[in-house]
Structures are given as C-alpha cells and as structure tokens.
C-alpha cells in the first residue's frame, strides 16, 4: 500500500474552497504511476475552477490486495470519489449491494466522453471524470 496526496495550487489559495478527492487505485506494478497521471488532471481542474483548491488523496494497492481493500472500504461505507475496479469483481460487488445505480447521471458523462473521443481529447478524460463525479461540471 502506498498513500499519496497531490495538489497543485497557486499562491492565492487563501479564499478558495478546498475540495479533496479520495481515490483507491490499483498500482499496476508501479505505485508512483498514478502521481504522473493525476498531476496534470489536478492542474487542469484547478485551472478550470479558480475558486477552488482541488487536491487528491489516493492510496494504491497491488492488484492482489485491491479487491479485498475495496470490499472492506465499501462495506465500511468509506467515501471514495475515484476507484479502479477489475470488471471481473463487479458481479460480486453488485451481489453484496455495494454498487449504486448511476443511470440517472450517466448520459451527461457518456455524451462528454463521446465528444472528447471524437475530438481527440482522450488525455482529458481523467480530469473530466473527476469533475463530473464531484459535481464540478
């Protein structure tokens, strides 16, 4: 397990509302990998929302520990904004009542992704997901 905190802010954060995203991520064999992936997204989120000081606290686990950690955290109702999940775990998570139906929220997300992919903006998907999931867009 590796815990990290990532923020990008300028010197004028005194009057900004702080938003901290919580993530549980599978490290894919490189615990530092997420730092480089998320850094740009946090910068972009802060640029899009100058009234906010957006940070992310994330914990990475090796693949063979991630499922158990997610099950434990979800069972404990630990708040999480961003998670990595292997699709083979979804049936088990659903059977245990740990998933929420997001049907009423997904159309805007799908439209956003389709628009981004059609314009070659795949690199912004992580940023837009974090905004959408945290009600920032």
């Amino acid at each position: 397990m590796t815990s990290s905190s990532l923020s990008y802010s300028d010197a004028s954060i005194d009057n900004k509302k702080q938003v901290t995203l919580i993530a549980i991520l599978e490290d894919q064999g490189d615990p530092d990998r997420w730092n480089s992936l998320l850094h740009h997204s946090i910068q972009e989120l802060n640029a899009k929302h100058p009234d906010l000081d957006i940070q992310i606290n994330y914990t990475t686990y090796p693949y063979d520990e991630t499922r158990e950690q997610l099950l434990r955290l979800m069972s404990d109702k630990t708040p999480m904004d961003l998670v990595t999940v292997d699709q083979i775990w979804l049936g088990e998570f659903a059977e245990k009542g740990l998933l929420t139906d997001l049907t009423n929220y997904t159309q805007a997300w799908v439209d956003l992704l389709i628009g981004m992919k059609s314009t070659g903006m795949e690199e912004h998907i992580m940023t837009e997901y974090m905004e959408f999931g945290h009600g920032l867009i």
Side-chain angles (χ1 to χ4, degrees), residues 5 8 13 17 46-47 66 76 84 96 113 122:
S5 182
Y8 174 83
I13 64 169
K17 177 182 175 187
N46 278 301
T66 303
D76 292 344
T84 53
K96 293 181 178 191
L113 287 177
E122 292 89 345

Side-chain angles (χ1 to χ4, degrees), residues 1 13 25 29 31 50 67 70 103 121 129-130 134:
M1 172 183 79
I13 64 169
L25 308 167
R67 183 185 145 277
L70 285 172
T103 303
M121 296 178 58
Y129 172 79
M130 288 191 289
H134 221 273

